[in-house]
Amino acid sequence: MISSELDAAGVRDEALRQAYRECRTLNARHGKTFFLATRLLSPSQRPAVHALYGFARRADDVLDAFDPRSVNQRADELQALSTALFTRLVEKKHSGDDPVLDAVVDTARNYRLDWQLFDDFLASMRMDLTVTDYPDRAALDRYMYGSAEVIGLQMLPVLGTVVPREEAAPYAADLGKAFQLTNFLRDIDEDLTRGRVYLPADELAGHGVDREMLTWCQQNRRTEPRLRAALAEQHAQTRRVYRRAEKGIAMLQPRSRPCVNAAMTLYSEILDRIEAMDFAVFARRATVSTSRRLQVASIGLARALRARARRQEV
């Protein structure tokens, strides 16, 4: 299957094909919902998406792996990753042996992705080394631009549009933001274990919630009523971002819409699960069942095949 995808994408060099295969493996292993949605794209689009995921995963692993590396060591690794990408993509010089970088640089060149998108992403990743709290929505939005919105902007040329790209860009950015806000709600427990809180402190304080209360709730595996009210407010705000993002789906090429629809459906249903379990985010992790993911994927696949047939595409 992967060989046919690489053939469709015009990847002929064997070393580069292997690089894309490694990125696909990373996506399949770590991004199960995202990988499933990616299967709904045309074969020619998939390698680029795997490469973008692979690069983001590399940076994420530097930051979030539970191991004894110090902040300085992680900072050095992140800077080395940034320097290597800049050397290859901007200076057009080969730098070391890194298949993930080989694939993402090839993708960036094919789809004319600007270095600034990667630089903004890496800037937000650096914030995770030292920033543990966000005082207000504006501060969180600055972080999310680089960590989530630019992912949507990187994906947009791969997905293609039926309108000028700049018209669709705000909606693509909103979709990346909606997915990350969903993760913030789902992963409060895990993030707090890493010492981070990705919710605006002033909005939590409006309900009488602070880091001390979050820690108490985590230790006791309970959602205190004031925290429940605060999470319900964050939940409602995230829903509004999804509604904005949804308007952009019609701006995408028809062959890409089933994938984005499926991803949006599955991620928004994580919000449904959080609400259904009454925001008991420290008691269990909200997930969408495998059967439901397969159901959504099946519907999306039927739509994707129809769209490809109209393009005479396999």
Side-chain angles (χ1 to χ4, degrees):
M1 182 67 75
I2 181 61
S3 293
S4 63
E5 293 175 1
L6 294 170
D7 291 342
V11 181
R12 302 285 181 252
D13 179 79
E14 186 52 44
L16 196 54
R17 288 170 73 91
Q18 184 56 36
Y20 276 107
R21 289 188 188 103
E22 292 197 25
C23 292
R24 185 183 187 275
T25 299
L26 284 172
N27 194 347
R29 182 185 303 138
H30 298 288
K32 291 182 173 56
T33 296
F34 185 71
F35 181 78
L36 185 63
T38 301
R39 303 299 303 152
L40 305 182
L41 291 172
S42 298
S44 62
Q45 295 172 293
R46 295 173 199 162
V49 176
H50 296 322
L52 291 170
Y53 180 93
F55 179 76
R57 185 73 204 183
R58 278 285 305 280
D60 194 55
D61 284 345
V62 171
L63 296 164
D64 287 342
F66 286 108
D67 58 45
R69 286 176 298 170
S70 68
V71 169
N72 287 339
Q73 287 174 314
R74 293 174 195 265
D76 288 344
E77 288 183 39
L78 202 57
Q79 184 57 50
L81 182 64
S82 176
T83 299
L85 180 62
F86 183 85
T87 299
R88 291 172 181 233
L89 183 57
V90 179
E91 297 182 338
K92 299 181 180 178
K93 300 176 183 176
H94 188 73
S95 174
D97 182 20
D98 191 327
V100 170
L101 288 185
D102 289 341
V104 79
V105 167
D106 185 64
T107 291
R109 289 173 179 164
N110 289 338
Y111 289 95
R112 299 181 181 179
L113 300 179
D114 193 271
W115 157 253
Q116 191 62 50
L117 291 175
F118 295 98
D119 195 37
D120 288 338
F121 168 75
L122 290 164
S124 285
M125 296 303 96
R126 290 187 194 96
M127 290 174 67
D128 274 330
L129 293 169
T130 56
V131 178
T132 57
D133 298 85
Y134 294 85
D136 51 35
R137 180 68 55 177
L140 185 62
D141 282 344
R142 284 193 292 274
Y143 169 77
M144 285 194 295
Y145 174 75
S147 62
E149 293 183 35
V150 298
I151 304 300
L153 297 175
Q154 288 173 345
M155 286 282 294
L156 194 56
V158 181
L159 298 174
T161 61
V162 295
V163 298
R165 191 180 299 169
E166 59 271 18
E167 185 178 338
Y171 302 98
D174 273 336
L175 187 59
K177 186 176 185 178
F179 289 170
Q180 187 165 65
L181 287 169
T182 301
N183 289 340
F184 289 164
L185 286 170
R186 181 193 62 189
D187 298 336
I188 291 174
D189 186 15
E190 182 178 324
D191 291 334
L192 192 59
T193 298
R194 291 190 169 97
R196 304 178 194 145
V197 177
Y198 292 107
L199 300 173
D202 62 340
E203 294 177 20
L204 294 180
H207 295 275
V209 176
D210 57 14
R211 180 180 274 268
E212 183 179 355
M213 178 181 287
L214 287 171
T215 301
W216 182 91
C217 289
Q218 183 185 47
Q219 291 172 345
N220 291 276
R221 297 295 164 188
R222 290 176 56 186
T223 301
E224 205 270 358
R226 285 172 290 176
L227 176 57
R228 183 174 290 108
L231 295 181
E233 179 183 64
Q234 299 298 314
H235 184 279
Q237 291 199 44
T238 303
R239 282 285 185 210
R240 287 194 286 272
V241 180
Y242 273 104
R243 286 195 290 271
R244 290 201 307 266
E246 189 173 12
K247 297 174 184 177
I249 294 179
M251 299 180 184
L252 300 176
Q253 286 184 0
R255 64 174 180 163
S256 298
R257 294 172 195 167
C259 167
V260 178
N261 260 314
M264 178 176 284
T265 296
L266 292 173
Y267 263 90
S268 64
E269 286 188 10
I270 294 173
L271 286 183
D272 294 341
R273 302 297 186 272
I274 292 171
E275 186 175 32
M277 65 190 206
D278 201 21
F279 301 98
V281 292
F282 292 113
R284 60 187 184 276
R285 192 171 190 264
T287 60
V288 177
S289 69
T290 299
S291 60
R292 175 57 178 160
R293 290 202 303 268
L294 292 175
Q295 180 186 38
V296 171
S298 296
I299 294 169
L301 181 59
R303 292 172 177 168
L305 290 174
R306 287 197 296 271
R308 290 180 216 165
R310 286 193 287 271
R311 288 173 53 96
Q312 295 185 335
E313 185 176 358
V314 295

